[in-house]
Amino acid sequence: HSKKGFVDQLALGMTYGGVLIMFGYSFFLGLALRDKGYFYYALFLLGAGIGGTYYEGLLLQYFMPDLNWPKLIPIAFSIAYASVLLLTNYLLKLQQKAPRLYLINQIGFWSWCALILGFLIFSYLEAIIFFQFLLLITLVYMLLAGCYSWYQGYPAARAYTLSWVFYVMGFAMFPLSRLDIGIIEEPTTWIRLGFIAQMILLSLALAEKVNLIRKEKEAAEKELATSLRNANQELEQRVIDRTQELEKAK
């Protein structure tokens, strides 16, 4: 039991320590690169971090002991999922490469925004049903969008898709633990490990996206330089030809 407790505490520290580090890293990298993808990712981490720490009691234990607002958990996670839909479109370029998936993405984004308002207006029990339904649809959508983009050969899609595979695998341990078959006794650790894997892989997907943008920019600059050089050479040749024509006319 002591070993199991150590593993749980280690996973807990890695999860929320990783969230804090990756949030700061992504936010300041977004400022440095002026890249909106890192801001989407930072907002996702912020929402997931607040919702997770409140759910596990860490927010109350260390920061806000007097806080008593259970709705904060689904609201924070709703912000996280709305943000990650924006990140999905950014990483996979759905608007250009898959317009139908982009349309679903936008419907999902505004649905999460509406759900945030729903938690502020309606009771927790009324709104949480829609939260669970929308969460299931969103997770399925993430996997489908990632698989489609991966199949199309888009570079950032591989790490993106695998991030959601590990995320879903972590959450899948929760219903498995209820089967009482002795394999999965404590699903929380697996959920944390799945989230850690997702953080790492989404960071890799963002790095691939930034590298792709850099390569496209360099290729465009190279093409522009080549075009300008060819235009200058053509202009110089025309000047030479015209000069020769004038000399012959004399």
Side-chain angles (χ1 to χ4, degrees):
H1 290 286
S2 60
K3 184 178 180 180
K4 179 177 177 295
F6 172 76
V7 172
D8 290 344
Q9 290 300 312
L10 181 62
L12 180 67
M14 289 175 63
T15 301
Y16 295 108
V19 168
L20 184 61
I21 292 171
M22 293 307 300
F23 170 76
Y25 173 78
S26 300
F27 181 78
F28 288 109
L29 196 59
L31 289 176
L33 298 177
R34 296 182 180 179
D35 188 290
K36 61 184 179 181
Y38 282 101
F39 290 117
Y40 295 152
Y41 183 45
L43 190 56
F44 165 69
L45 292 172
L46 181 63
I50 292 175
T53 52
Y54 193 173
Y55 176 78
E56 303 211 50
L58 299 175
L59 191 64
L60 301 178
Q61 183 177 356
Y62 295 105
F63 300 102
M64 299 179 178
D66 298 326
L67 181 64
N68 183 23
W69 192 35
K71 287 185 177 182
L72 178 60
I73 298 173
I75 288 175
F77 277 111
S78 296
I79 293 173
Y81 289 118
S83 303
V84 87
L85 282 171
L86 295 176
L87 178 62
T88 297
N89 179 56
Y90 172 80
L91 285 175
L92 305 181
K93 295 183 70 173
L94 297 179
Q95 188 171 6
Q96 295 84 8
K97 295 182 175 294
R100 292 181 180 178
L101 287 175
Y102 172 73
L103 177 60
I104 298 173
N105 182 292
Q106 292 299 291
I107 293 173
F109 171 76
W110 290 111
S111 296
W112 281 111
C113 293
L115 187 59
I116 294 171
L117 294 177
F119 275 107
L120 297 175
I121 297 172
F122 301 103
S123 69
Y124 179 90
L125 293 178
E126 289 174 329
I128 199 64
I129 297 174
F130 294 98
F131 176 89
Q132 294 170 341
F133 176 71
L134 190 55
L135 173 59
L136 178 61
I137 293 177
T138 301
L139 292 178
V140 172
Y141 168 78
M142 300 293 191
L143 290 171
L144 290 176
C147 289
Y148 175 81
S149 298
W150 191 354
Y151 176 77
Q152 295 295 319
Y154 194 66
R158 177 176 57 181
Y160 171 88
T161 306
L162 291 176
S163 75
W164 288 103
V165 168
F166 281 104
Y167 188 83
V168 171
M169 285 175 60
F171 273 94
M173 298 300 144
F174 188 80
L176 287 177
S177 67
R178 296 296 185 264
L179 297 178
D180 196 24
I181 55 179
I183 299 177
I184 306 297
E185 296 181 358
E186 179 51 58
T188 307
T189 300
W190 292 98
I191 293 173
R192 292 170 185 157
L193 292 175
F195 185 57
I196 292 170
Q198 186 199 41
M199 282 193 293
I200 295 172
L201 288 165
L202 278 180
S203 298
L204 292 176
L206 267 170
E208 287 188 26
K209 172 69 175 183
V210 171
N211 287 333
L212 180 63
I213 292 175
R214 179 178 56 80
K215 290 178 181 178
E216 290 176 347
K217 182 179 179 181
E218 290 176 353
E221 290 175 348
K222 186 177 180 180
E223 183 179 353
L224 177 61
T226 301
S227 298
L228 290 174
R229 185 169 59 252
N230 292 337
N232 287 334
Q233 290 175 350
E234 183 179 352
L235 181 60
E236 290 175 0
Q237 186 61 44
R238 287 182 179 179
V239 171
I240 293 172
D241 293 342
R242 183 58 179 165
T243 302
Q244 291 176 349
E245 289 176 0
L246 291 175
E247 289 178 351
K248 289 179 180 180
K250 291 180 181 179

